[in-house]
Amino acid sequence: MLTKRIIPCLDVNNGRVVKGINFVNLIDAGDPVDCAEMYNNLGADELVFLDITASSDNRKTIIDVVRNVAKRIFIPFTVGGGIKGVNDMKAILQAGADKISINSAAVKNPDLINKGAEMFGNQCIVVAIDAKRENNLFKVYINGDRIKMDLDVIDWAKEVEKRGAGEILLTSMDNDGTKNGYDIELTKCVCEKVNIPVIASGGAGKMEDFKNILKYADAALAASLFHFKEIMISDLKDYLEDNNIPVRRI
């Protein structure tokens, strides 16, 4: 049986790790390099680094921070934010990242998924999908929840898989930062429609939330719970194993 992954997320704004509710009311959570090294030592399976205002501010990801993080960790490392073309992807991979996460750029230019997969391999391309409920549907949002697109999440998930994405990072914008639990309906719907791994994000508040979502998702991402040591990764993995959810051990 494939093991499930636990992935801390470093949301970075102006060179600092931050966390808020529904992508607003941000508070400082530390230095990204120090945080990354800590998670590497605490048993995280991977890390996701998101420069959360790079797209909305129309600037590139902070390459120097990426390079410094990559020097200090030995687990897979995904970077996203402000990526607009294959040259940006190449620069981030050369700085030490293992994977690239694209969101806004992929929605605006879906061919970027194909080009990235062809140049760097499917395994390097993660498409992040920010989803928000609208009546009985889920709609795609871009630019850090600032712009709603006339695009159905399920349809978009199926398209990114066809275009060569190796993984989907699926965030419930309704649940993000609330600690009310992951959006099981959203995650289950996407997981049932695609054959690539899905990372669930948005809403983790207690260990039970991880158990519930990992029945469907391949990995669970969280931020504030880990940043503020409300849940320790080793304790979480013990809990998941006790509840018959297979996890990785170093």
Side-chain angles (χ1 to χ4, degrees):
M1 184 182 293
L2 292 176
T3 55
K4 304 291 187 172
R5 291 169 289 150
I6 302 300
I7 306 177
C9 180
L10 306 179
D11 290 329
V12 177
N13 183 37
N14 295 324
R16 298 288 294 178
V17 177
V18 296
K19 191 55 191 169
I21 298 177
N22 304 125
F23 276 34
V24 296
N25 300 321
L26 302 178
I27 59 174
D28 189 278
D31 175 76
V33 180
D34 291 340
C35 288
E37 186 173 31
M38 176 187 70
Y39 287 128
N40 180 87
N41 297 334
L42 289 176
D45 297 303
E46 298 185 17
L47 279 178
V48 170
F49 174 107
L50 297 177
D51 191 346
I52 61 171
T53 56
S55 291
S56 60
D57 293 349
N58 195 30
R59 58 177 171 77
K60 295 184 184 297
T61 304
I62 309 169
I63 293 291
D64 287 343
V65 175
V66 175
R67 188 176 292 111
N68 290 334
V69 168
K71 289 177 181 176
R72 302 263 289 269
I73 67 173
F74 303 96
I75 54 177
F77 178 34
T78 300
V79 175
I83 298 167
K84 294 182 172 60
V86 291
N87 288 336
D88 294 333
M89 293 181 179
K90 183 178 180 180
I92 290 170
L93 291 171
Q94 287 180 335
D98 299 281
K99 306 177 190 178
I100 298 296
S101 175
I102 50 176
N103 184 344
S104 303
V107 173
K108 295 174 183 177
N109 178 21
D111 286 342
L112 182 59
I113 303 169
N114 304 67
K115 292 176 182 177
E118 289 167 7
M119 289 189 68
F120 309 112
N122 307 75
Q123 77 284 352
C124 287
I125 307 302
V126 178
V127 174
I129 301 177
D130 292 341
K132 188 176 271 191
R133 288 175 182 267
E134 188 173 286
N135 298 319
N136 294 321
L137 300 174
F138 294 101
K139 291 293 185 178
V140 173
Y141 277 69
I142 63 171
N143 284 58
D145 192 28
R146 292 170 175 82
I147 301 174
K148 183 180 81 169
M149 307 301 292
D150 187 20
L151 187 60
D152 179 78
V153 167
I154 306 302
D155 292 340
W156 179 231
K158 292 191 290 186
E159 181 175 349
V160 303
E161 179 181 22
K162 290 178 182 177
R163 287 180 174 273
E167 198 163 31
I168 290 171
L169 170 53
L170 179 66
T171 300
S172 166
M173 305 306 300
D174 299 297
N175 292 28
D176 177 72
T178 65
K179 298 185 181 179
N180 291 327
Y182 294 97
D183 191 322
I184 292 175
E185 180 186 355
L186 166 66
T187 307
K188 183 172 183 286
C189 286
V190 172
C191 290
E192 288 175 346
K193 296 298 183 180
V194 299
N195 295 305
I196 56 176
V198 174
I199 303 168
S201 170
K206 56 187 180 298
M207 292 190 188
E208 186 179 3
D209 296 331
F210 291 86
K211 178 189 73 172
N212 292 339
I213 203 64
L214 289 173
K215 294 175 183 177
Y216 308 101
D218 299 89
L221 180 145
S224 59
L225 278 183
F226 297 144
H227 297 338
F228 303 122
K229 297 181 173 59
E230 296 172 47
I231 292 178
M232 300 301 292
I233 293 174
S234 58
D235 294 339
L236 175 59
K237 288 191 173 184
D238 289 342
Y239 169 83
L240 292 172
E241 282 187 329
D242 290 343
N243 283 275
N244 301 311
I245 303 290
V247 294
R248 296 178 180 181
R249 292 292 189 178
I250 298 175

